[in-house]
Amino acid sequence: MLRRGVLFVWPWLLLAHAAQDVPVLPDGRDAPEVDLITPVPLPDLPPGSPNLLQPTMPKELKIDNQGTVEGSIDTGVRLGGPVKIVGDNGLEVFSDTAVVDLKEKSVTLEGRVSVYQGNTLQRGRRAVYFYEKKFLDSRDLTISMDPIIMEAGKFTAEKLGGRQVFIGEDAGITTDDVAAPNFWVRASQTRVYPGDKIVFKNLRLYAGEVPVFWLPYLSQPMDAELGYHLVPGARSSWGTYLLNTYGIMLGGKLNPQTGEKEDAWLLSKWRLDLRSSRGVGTGVDLVDTRLEDRKNLSGLSLYYLNDLNPDTRNSGVPRGFVSDNRYRVELKHRQTMDLPDQATWHLDSNLTLLSDSYYLEDFEPQRLRSDPQPDNTLGLFRRDETSLVSLFTRLQINGFDRTATRLPELVFDQAKAPWFGLPVLHEGSTSLGVLGVQTGDATRTSIIDPLLALPLGDPHEADLLSQLPGYEQQLAQLIRSLPPGDSRIPALRAQLLDSGFTRFHTYHQFSLPMMLGGGFSLTPQAGLGYTRYMAVDGPATTTDRTHLYAGMEAAVKFSKDLGDFQNHRWGLDGLLHIVQPYANWSVLSTDELEPAFPRVDRLTFSTRPQTLSPERYTATDDLKNWNILRLGTRNRLLTKRDGQAHEWLYLNTYMDAFVEDPELKRSFSNLYNDFRFQPVPWLTLGVETQFPIVERGSGFNEFATYLRYLPTPDTEFTLGYRWLASHPVLQDSNRVDLRAYTRINENWGVGMQQVWELDDGTLEVQQYTLHRDLGNWVAGVGLTRRDNRYQQEYGVIFSLTLKDFPAVSLPFQLDAK
C-alpha cells in the first residue's frame, strides 16, 4: 500500500530505537539497571580449581578463566582465557585474555572485548578496568544500545539525577554495524540519555569519511515527533524549498540535580520554511500529549508567511486580490472535565482562521482535497451509556466561506435502548438552536450581485443560477420575477444573502425486533416528530411541521455447508453459504416547507441511496413525504481462519420501489450491487455498481471498483476506477487511479502513481519514485507532475531516512512537491 506523506531527512535520528529495553546478555538473562562498573566481593572458591585465580586475589574481582594461568601475584597474572568478569549488579565483561596488575590495581582485557550491562554493549580490542577506582577505561571501545553504536576517544558513564548518562568526547555515533560504517555522526562532546535524548556539541555528519553537514549544537530526542526534521525539494509554485521542523517538549517540573524538566507534556514543533519563490514562513504547533486522540486534536497551530508572489496560481483559475500576508491560526483541543456524575464531560474547540480563500490551495494542497472548508465550532458535551448532550456553536470566522451557523444549538440524543424495560426499543433526538446561513464574500460579489443585476432573459443567467444551491436558485428566480421597486425585494434579498431562524426539533422512533423461528425476523417501526421555525429572516413567518413515520423490516436467513473445501492459496478452510432476502418498507408523512423558505440542514446530491430512517436523515429542513419499499438479498461466503469465521465473499443486491419519491419523481431506483472479496491478505477487491433496469428509473449509471493485489511479496498494485454517466446533477466522470511499487532487489525499489480522467483525456497526476537501500538508511528521489487543465505543476523531492525509524515506511508518496 502506497502511503501518503513526506519522509524526513534526519541525519542524526539513527538513535531512534535506543529507548527499547531489550536484554542483550549472552545467556539471555534479564539484567537489573546498574552502574557500568561496580566492585563485588569474591565468593569462596573450592581449592584446587585450575581455571580460577587464587584466593589471594583482590576480593573486588570475580574472574572466571577457561584457559592457562601464568606469572605471579608480584609481577602480574596473565589469564589465557576466555575470561569473564562478573559484577554483583549484572555487569559482565568478556575478553580473549586478561592481565591482572596488582600494583596498578587494574585488569587489562585484550582480544575480543565485550562489556554487557542491561541493553548496553561495548566492544573493542582492549579495555582497562581499575577496580579500586571503579573506573573502566574504554577509549578503545564502541558502545552499542541497539541499534546505536557509539565510538569514543574517551567514554565515561556517570550517574546524574539517579539515571545513567553516557558521555563521549570526540565521539562518533552510527547504526551501520559493520567494520567500515557508511556514515557517522561525530561531535566534540556527546551525551546519551538512554530512552530520552542525545545532546551533541559541534556536530558533523560524515558520509564515509567526508563531512556533509554541520551544526554547532543539537539536542535530539529519541521520540519520533521530537528533534530536527528537514524536507528539501522543489515545486513549480514554490521554487526550491527547505522545510525545517524542530520538536521539543515543554512543561513539567525542573529537576534541580540534572537541570532537566521531568514529566513534560506539551509537544512543541517549531517551523522555519524557506521557499525561493514565496519567501520565509514560520510557525509553531503546540500539542497536549496527555490527550488520546492527538490526530484530530492537534492543539494550537500558528503559521505566517510574507508571500513574495501571492498572485501565483496553481489551478490556472483567475483570482482576485490576495494580500501578501498569508497566515493560519488553528485551535483543535479537548478539555476533559471531572464532574461528580457518572458521565464523561469534555469541552471541544475546533477553530481555523485563514488569511484568504487560497491559502490551503497554495500551501496545504493535501488538506484542501480532504477539508476544503475547515469547520469552526465550540462545544460542551456530556456522554453516558444511553445519551449524548451537546451544547455547541458553529461560527463564520472566515468571511469568504459560506457557513451554516449555529449560535448556539442544544441537542439531546438518545441511543437505541429498551423503553422502560419493555422489549420495545426507543431512540430519539431533541434540539433547540439559532441556525443560519451566511454567504461567503465570493458568492456575494461574483454570483448573487451580478445575477440580480442582469436583465431578464440574459444568456448568463442560467450559468450563474447553476452555481447556487437549490432553494437559493428558487429564491433568486423569485426576486428576479418581481417588478422593480416591489416592497418584498429587500427582505428576499436579505434572506438570500444571510438567512436564518430559531428551530425546535424533536423526533422519536420505536421498534420491536421479533424472531419468528425458521430464521425469519420481523421488525415493525413507528416514529413521531415535530419541528417549529421561529424568528425567520425574510418574508417567511413562523412555521410548524409534524412528522409521522411507519416502517417494517423483514428478513429470512438460509445457510448451507458447502463442504470441507481446503485451499491454502485462496484462504479456504471449509465454506458456509448464507443467503438473506430482506425487505424494508418506509413511509414518512410531513408538512413540507415552501420552496423559498430558508434551509440550513439541506440535502446534498449523492449517487448512493438515501437512508430509510428519519432518525438517520440529517437534512432536517429538506424532509419530504416518501413511500419507499427496498427489496434485496445478501449473500455471504464464510470460511474458518484463526479459529474464527472469516467473511470470504459478500454481495448485497437491492433496489428501491417508490410509491412517492422525495427527490427525482422516480418509480424505481437503479439496481445496486455492493461486492467485497477478501480471500487472502494479498488480494482485496471491492465493487459498487448501479444501473437502471426499468423506465422511469434513476436514469444514470455508476461503476466503482478498488483492487489491491500483491503478485509477489516484493510487488504491490492498487487500482481504483470510477465511471459515472448521465447523473442529473453531478458531472460525468471516467477516472482511473493506478499505483504500483516493486522492490527490484535488496537495494533498489521503484514506485509510481498515475491518475487519468478519461472523460476528457487528461492525465491529471504522474509521480515516480526511486528508493535506494543504504543499509540502515533509505535514500529516495521522486518526481511529480499535475495537470490542472488550465495550468501544470511540477515538483521533485529528496529524502534520506533511517530505515529502522518507527514513523517511516516505504514507499513514500509525493504531492506536487
Side-chain angles (χ1 to χ4, degrees):
M1 176 68 65
L2 296 176
R3 297 201 179 176
R4 187 174 296 270
V6 178
L7 301 186
F8 298 123
V9 183
W10 295 356
W12 35 83
L13 284 185
L14 38 99
L15 313 169
H17 286 314
Q20 300 179 1
D21 296 329
V22 180
V24 294
L25 293 175
D27 57 1
R29 295 175 295 162
D30 293 331
E33 295 187 3
V34 294
D35 293 338
L36 184 63
I37 300 297
T38 302
V40 298
L42 182 70
D44 294 334
L45 302 176
S49 299
N51 294 325
L52 300 176
L53 294 181
Q54 300 300 316
T56 53
M57 293 295 294
K59 294 182 179 181
E60 291 85 353
L61 295 176
K62 181 179 179 182
I63 301 179
D64 184 4
N65 173 37
Q66 299 297 324
T68 60
V69 179
E70 300 178 357
S72 65
I73 294 179
D74 294 331
T75 60
V77 180
R78 173 172 292 276
L79 309 179
V83 176
K84 176 182 178 182
I85 300 178
V86 181
D88 62 351
N89 50 16
L91 174 70
E92 294 185 329
V93 183
F94 299 84
S95 67
D96 290 339
T97 62
V99 176
V100 181
D101 189 336
L102 298 179
K103 294 181 179 180
E104 296 293 332
K105 295 181 174 56
S106 66
V107 179
T108 301
L109 302 116
E110 297 176 330
R112 292 171 297 179
V113 179
S114 300
V115 180
Y116 292 89
Q117 183 184 10
N119 71 327
T120 304
L121 166 64
Q122 295 180 81
R123 293 183 297 185
R125 304 300 300 177
R126 184 178 182 274
V128 180
Y129 172 43
F130 296 92
Y131 52 83
E132 186 177 68
K133 297 179 181 179
K134 303 178 183 180
F135 170 73
L136 178 69
D137 184 351
S138 59
R139 69 184 65 190
D140 297 321
L141 299 180
T142 61
I143 181 170
S144 174
M145 292 179 294
D146 188 31
I148 300 169
I149 299 173
M150 179 175 175
E151 175 193 58
K154 181 179 180 182
F155 179 81
T156 59
E158 299 181 4
K159 281 283 188 177
L160 295 178
R163 63 175 176 172
Q164 193 175 55
V165 179
F166 300 98
I167 301 174
E169 302 293 338
D170 191 22
I173 288 182
T174 184
T175 62
D176 197 7
D177 190 9
V178 296
N182 293 317
F183 60 91
W184 286 97
V185 178
R186 301 184 186 277
S188 58
Q189 184 186 82
T190 305
R191 288 177 175 251
V192 181
Y193 299 81
D196 184 10
K197 63 181 178 180
I198 302 176
V199 179
F200 303 93
K201 292 183 180 179
N202 191 26
L203 176 146
R204 292 97 62 199
L205 173 65
Y206 287 81
E209 297 299 327
V210 180
V212 296
F213 193 81
W214 173 84
L215 280 176
Y217 176 85
L218 176 67
S219 177
Q220 180 61 49
M222 296 179 183
D223 189 294
E225 296 183 289
L226 302 179
Y228 179 48
H229 309 173
L230 61 91
V231 180
R235 185 176 179 179
S236 55
S237 59
W238 288 0
T240 57
Y241 63 83
L242 181 65
L243 310 181
N244 303 272
T245 305
Y246 189 79
I248 59 175
M249 296 299 298
L250 303 175
K253 297 180 179 180
L254 184 66
N255 187 322
Q257 294 182 344
T258 63
E260 302 286 338
K261 285 191 175 182
E262 299 177 349
D263 300 324
W265 55 272
L266 185 61
L267 170 63
S268 65
K269 294 183 177 180
W270 302 83
R271 303 183 183 277
L272 180 64
D273 300 336
L274 311 177
R275 301 177 178 90
S276 62
S277 298
R278 310 304 287 265
V280 179
T282 183
V284 62
D285 300 333
L286 303 175
V287 182
D288 188 345
T289 59
R290 298 170 296 185
L291 300 176
E292 294 182 0
D293 188 11
R294 290 168 53 191
K295 180 180 180 181
N296 297 314
L297 302 173
S298 54
L300 176 64
S301 180
L302 308 173
Y303 192 83
Y304 174 80
L305 171 76
N306 186 257
D307 196 348
L308 300 179
N309 293 287
D311 296 329
T312 299
R313 298 176 296 179
N314 298 326
S315 63
V317 178
R319 59 174 65 175
F321 171 76
V322 179
S323 172
D324 55 0
N325 293 311
R326 316 292 297 275
Y327 56 83
R328 172 178 51 82
V329 180
E330 190 168 51
L331 176 63
K332 293 187 176 182
H333 182 68
R334 170 168 293 173
Q335 181 65 50
T336 302
M337 306 174 69
D338 187 12
L339 296 179
D341 66 350
Q342 301 299 316
T344 301
W345 290 79
H346 58 267
L347 179 65
D348 283 359
S349 304
N350 181 18
L351 304 171
T352 303
L353 173 65
L354 302 177
S355 59
D356 53 80
S357 59
Y358 303 104
Y359 175 87
L360 295 180
E361 177 184 333
D362 289 349
F363 301 108
E364 299 182 35
Q366 290 185 349
R367 178 173 178 178
L368 176 69
R369 285 188 285 275
S370 61
D371 186 20
Q373 184 174 324
D375 211 355
N376 286 284
T377 60
L378 293 170
L380 175 65
F381 301 90
R382 178 196 181 276
R383 180 190 297 272
D384 59 25
E385 295 181 354
T386 60
S387 66
L388 172 66
V389 179
S390 309
L391 176 62
F392 67 99
T393 181
R394 177 180 287 118
L395 309 169
Q396 187 192 46
I397 293 181
N398 301 305
F400 45 81
D401 284 335
R402 180 185 182 276
T403 306
T405 61
R406 281 162 162 77
L407 303 171
E409 184 175 30
L410 176 65
V411 183
F412 176 51
D413 293 315
Q414 296 170 276
K416 183 180 289 187
W419 191 48
F420 295 109
L422 299 175
V424 175
L425 302 180
H426 165 263
E427 59 181 327
S429 177
T430 301
S431 64
L432 174 64
V434 179
L435 282 62
V437 175
Q438 296 186 6
T439 304
D441 295 338
T443 304
R444 293 171 185 261
T445 57
S446 62
I447 300 178
I448 295 179
D449 290 344
L451 175 63
L452 298 182
L454 288 176
L456 292 176
D458 190 282
H460 296 94
E461 178 181 2
D463 179 58
L464 291 173
L465 281 172
S466 66
Q467 300 180 54
L468 294 175
Y471 108 87
E472 291 181 2
Q473 291 183 19
Q474 297 172 341
L475 193 59
Q477 289 173 327
L478 176 60
I479 296 174
R480 289 175 53 77
S481 68
L482 296 175
D486 191 293
S487 61
R488 292 170 293 176
I489 290 180
L492 289 171
R493 181 184 176 87
Q495 180 178 326
L496 179 61
L497 294 175
D498 294 307
S499 60
F501 45 72
T502 298
R503 187 185 72 190
F504 171 78
H505 174 74
T506 185
Y507 180 81
H508 299 271
Q509 187 166 307
F510 302 87
S511 59
L512 179 61
M514 296 181 291
M515 297 300 298
L516 304 181
F520 185 76
S521 64
L522 189 67
T523 306
Q525 301 172 342
L528 175 66
Y530 171 75
T531 306
R532 180 175 178 83
Y533 297 89
M534 302 161 285
V536 183
D537 291 338
T541 60
T542 298
T543 301
D544 297 282
R545 306 176 67 193
T546 301
H547 318 289
L548 298 176
Y549 166 73
M552 181 76 71
E553 293 184 13
V556 61
K557 185 180 294 185
F558 306 98
S559 63
K560 181 178 178 58
D561 191 341
L562 300 181
D564 189 22
F565 287 97
Q566 301 287 331
N567 189 313
H568 177 71
R569 178 171 178 80
W570 288 99
L572 283 174
D573 183 8
L575 203 58
L576 177 67
H577 183 202
I578 298 176
V579 181
Q580 186 181 36
Y582 64 91
N584 192 344
W585 175 54
S586 175
V587 180
L588 178 68
S589 175
T590 184
D591 303 310
E592 298 186 14
L593 295 174
E594 295 295 328
F597 195 92
R599 290 165 171 81
V600 176
D601 295 329
R602 64 185 67 177
L603 185 67
T604 57
F605 289 102
S606 170
T607 62
R608 303 302 299 166
Q610 73 166 65
T611 177
L612 299 185
S613 171
E615 177 66 18
R616 306 287 181 268
Y617 199 89
T618 58
T620 304
D621 302 327
D622 264 340
L623 275 171
K624 299 179 180 180
N625 296 331
W626 74 58
N627 191 339
I628 306 171
L629 176 63
R630 180 167 296 168
L631 300 172
T633 300
R634 300 183 184 94
N635 283 272
R636 302 173 69 201
L637 291 178
L638 305 181
T639 189
K640 291 179 290 185
R641 186 166 302 170
D642 299 327
Q644 297 179 345
H646 172 74
E647 187 176 76
W648 195 75
L649 182 146
Y650 173 85
L651 173 63
N652 186 16
T653 302
Y654 56 100
M655 69 178 300
D656 292 339
F658 298 100
V659 179
E660 187 171 7
D661 182 10
E663 296 181 26
L664 301 173
K665 308 305 178 184
R666 299 162 292 179
S667 296
F668 297 94
S669 73
N670 285 340
L671 178 68
Y672 299 94
N673 289 281
D674 300 338
F675 174 80
R676 294 194 303 266
F677 182 48
Q678 298 174 303
V680 286
W682 48 265
L683 177 63
T684 301
L685 175 64
V687 180
E688 293 181 353
T689 69
Q690 58 173 304
F691 48 87
I693 60 173
V694 296
E695 294 184 2
R696 297 191 62 190
S698 298
F700 67 92
N701 298 272
E702 183 182 32
F703 178 85
T705 185
Y706 172 81
L707 171 67
R708 175 179 176 268
Y709 175 51
L710 282 75
T712 70
D714 297 327
T715 303
E716 177 179 352
F717 292 95
T718 60
L719 173 66
Y721 176 69
R722 182 175 186 252
W723 173 61
L724 178 65
S726 304
H727 193 278
V729 177
L730 304 178
Q731 271 191 327
D732 289 352
S733 179
N734 191 1
R735 187 180 180 86
V736 178
D737 187 336
L738 175 63
R739 309 179 188 212
Y741 176 78
T742 184
R743 188 173 62 183
I744 301 173
N745 53 41
E746 293 184 356
N747 296 322
W748 292 93
V750 295
M752 60 83 67
Q753 179 189 9
Q754 291 189 350
V755 179
W756 288 85
E757 179 50 72
L758 302 179
D759 193 60
D760 61 3
T762 301
L763 180 55
E764 294 182 345
V765 176
Q766 299 178 75
Q767 57 187 39
Y768 308 94
T769 58
L770 177 65
H771 313 277
R772 174 68 164 92
D773 193 328
L774 301 174
N776 294 87
W777 291 81
V778 173
V781 60
L783 303 174
T784 184
R785 170 186 174 271
R786 182 178 293 276
D787 188 343
N788 296 318
R789 292 173 176 80
Y790 293 98
Q791 185 171 310
Q792 295 187 1
E793 290 183 89
Y794 298 90
V796 61
I797 191 171
F798 303 94
S799 71
L800 181 63
T801 309
L802 182 63
K803 184 167 58 176
D804 292 333
F805 191 69
V808 172
S809 59
L810 284 179
F812 66 79
Q813 185 173 358
L814 305 178
D815 182 33
K817 294 294 183 72

